[in-house]
Amino acid sequence: MSRHFVLAAGGTGGHMVPAAALAEELTKRGHRVALVSDARGVRFPGLFDGIQTHVLPAGRFQMKKPLGWPSAIREMWRGRAMARELYRTFKPAAVIGFGGYPAMPALLAAFSDKIPTAVHEQNAVLGRVNRLVAGRVDAIATSYAETERLAAKHEAKTHLVGNPVREAVLALRTRAYPLLEEDGIFRVLVTGGSQGASILSQVVPDGLAMLPVTFRRRLQVTHQARIEDIDAVRAKYAAHEIPAELATYLPDLPDQLAWAHVVIARAGASTIAELTAAGRPAILVPLPSAMDDHQTVNAREMTVAGGARTIPQTEFTAKELAKQMQRLGLDPAALENAAGRAKSVGRPKAVSDLADLVESLDAPLARLPVGAPQNKAAFA
């Protein structure tokens, strides 16, 4: 039976990409989907083509600026009123939040109107907004077997589904790891997520330059950099005589992942999900300022499995990068094994499992567990 669903997501790629994947899956199943976000969220190119979108005000509560809280509360309640007006005409069967303050008005309105709700957590640490609403939603979908800051009392309504990725990335799962011959081209992909990462631009060119000359001459690099860094990074690669393609945005990321032998990246939720879906070994440099240090926790599962090496940013130097690259790159068999270990912790059914959970929300008598059970060790 065709139903209506509202997806509410904050304006960062980590929230918007899984929301877009669910929107596509629900649409394929014959449902109608509306997106609620902020001005940033609706600007992501190609993510929500053909999807009804609504921009609602949502105040942001900055812990270090309490004087701004009254204004944030007013904006939040204004967004809630607008969401309730949307629900009167759209009549959603359920409202699904993906984290971020822009999801709050939609969820508050759903609580008020007694509409079934769920939240999806992309990271290995339950985010602030999802923590605030965890007690009131009907279901919590997680991406990792162990999710920190998730209360034990919510175990019964928690479902491990994984983090949805784009179909183009998921398709890489059936393709073999790219052939790596001892004297063949060694392809490196460097990406700092949707905003780039200056630390990667500062360290990676010099680190690759420290590799033995026979290894360095085999390199082919694709590097995503911030616009303010890109000229300096290009000059560094040229000075080191390392072939490199530079871009501020990689719209063809699935194609880049397809041929990459190793990826150097941050440890954002979407990045980890794509690496484990495709099966690509990585050197991960978690963002130290991430809320609750969640990127370090995100990297743990893939690293423990043997699919990645994690280097804290305080230890991420050119010398350390060169050492890790040699350990990975000088043994093709070990590198291919690492690719398989990365793939072993991927969750390719994430979007279908999440859609199943969403469809079950307005049918409580028929509700069944969806996805694998949450690891009890995850609950604090």
Side-chain angles (χ1 to χ4, degrees):
M1 183 176 65
S2 178
R3 283 165 281 173
H4 294 182
F5 294 99
V6 169
L7 309 186
T12 66
H15 299 310
M16 303 307 293
V17 169
L22 179 61
E24 183 178 355
E25 177 67 18
L26 290 174
T27 301
K28 286 180 181 177
R29 297 185 182 197
H31 304 301
R32 186 177 170 191
V33 176
L35 169 72
V36 169
S37 187
D38 59 3
R40 296 174 303 160
V42 298
R43 291 175 184 164
F44 279 80
L47 277 187
F48 291 91
D49 291 345
I51 298 295
Q52 177 181 336
T53 59
H54 301 268
V55 175
L56 300 185
R60 182 175 180 81
F61 296 84
Q62 299 184 40
M63 294 299 104
K64 296 181 180 180
K65 297 181 180 180
L67 292 179
W69 292 0
S71 175
I73 292 173
R74 287 194 297 270
E75 286 295 282
M76 191 75 70
W77 283 97
R78 190 162 70 91
R80 172 183 173 274
M82 293 172 65
R84 292 191 71 187
E85 186 61 32
L86 167 65
Y87 299 165
R88 288 189 186 98
T89 56
F90 191 70
K91 301 188 183 307
V95 176
I96 318 303
F98 285 83
Y101 282 106
M104 277 293 285
L107 289 168
L108 291 173
F111 298 152
S112 179
D113 290 349
K114 295 181 171 51
I115 298 169
T117 54
V119 291
H120 178 269
E121 179 55 60
Q122 301 86 49
N123 293 298
V125 181
L126 200 67
R128 180 177 294 166
V129 168
N130 284 349
R131 290 202 299 269
L132 287 172
V133 301
R136 299 189 65 182
V137 296
D138 296 291
I140 301 170
T142 61
S143 300
Y144 293 85
E146 297 189 10
T147 304
E148 296 186 2
R149 307 294 293 271
L150 184 57
K153 62 185 178 182
H154 302 319
E155 179 181 359
K157 61 180 177 182
T158 299
H159 307 268
L160 173 61
V161 300
N163 195 11
V165 299
R166 292 168 287 183
E167 284 289 340
V169 174
L170 197 57
L172 300 179
R173 196 170 180 84
T174 60
R175 294 174 55 172
Y177 180 74
L179 180 66
L180 179 61
E181 299 177 349
E182 289 190 7
D183 58 349
I185 294 175
F186 190 98
R187 299 182 177 90
V188 180
L189 172 62
V190 185
T191 173
S194 60
Q195 300 299 318
S198 289
I199 187 66
L200 301 185
S201 296
Q202 294 164 13
V203 173
V204 172
D206 293 338
L208 297 182
M210 295 177 70
L211 294 170
V213 64
T214 53
F215 189 2
R216 190 171 70 244
R217 287 175 176 170
R218 297 167 52 204
L219 296 176
Q220 174 64 56
V221 180
T222 297
H223 189 131
Q224 179 210 3
R226 290 182 174 181
I227 191 168
E228 62 266 30
D229 298 331
I230 197 165
D231 290 338
V233 179
R234 185 178 287 112
K236 277 189 174 185
Y237 280 120
H240 297 317
E241 298 183 340
I242 296 174
E245 297 180 6
L246 279 294
T248 57
Y249 178 66
L250 297 174
D252 59 342
L253 182 62
D255 291 334
Q256 300 290 348
L257 270 178
W259 58 251
H261 292 109
V262 69
V263 180
I264 303 172
R266 287 296 197 190
S270 291
T271 297
I272 298 292
E274 291 178 340
L275 290 171
T276 56
R280 291 297 180 269
I283 293 174
L284 302 173
V285 186
L287 176 68
S289 61
M291 183 76 68
D292 299 316
D293 196 24
H294 67 252
Q295 288 204 4
T296 296
V297 188
N298 287 352
R300 186 181 300 157
E301 184 179 58
M302 187 178 176
T303 301
V304 170
R309 296 172 184 267
T310 297
I311 306 175
Q313 184 163 307
T314 54
E315 301 173 17
F316 186 59
T317 62
K319 183 177 180 179
E320 180 63 21
L321 175 62
K323 180 173 70 175
Q324 297 297 340
M325 282 292 296
Q326 286 190 77
R327 289 177 177 174
L328 280 171
L330 295 181
D331 186 348
L335 195 61
E336 188 167 356
N337 180 58
R341 290 176 178 272
K343 186 182 290 186
S344 72
V345 292
R347 296 183 172 88
K349 294 178 61 181
V351 71
S352 61
D353 283 348
L354 181 57
D356 288 346
L357 177 61
V358 167
E359 286 183 324
S360 77
L361 288 173
D362 68 333
L365 294 179
R367 195 173 301 163
L368 296 173
V370 176
Q374 184 78 35
N375 187 335
K376 291 185 179 181
F379 296 90

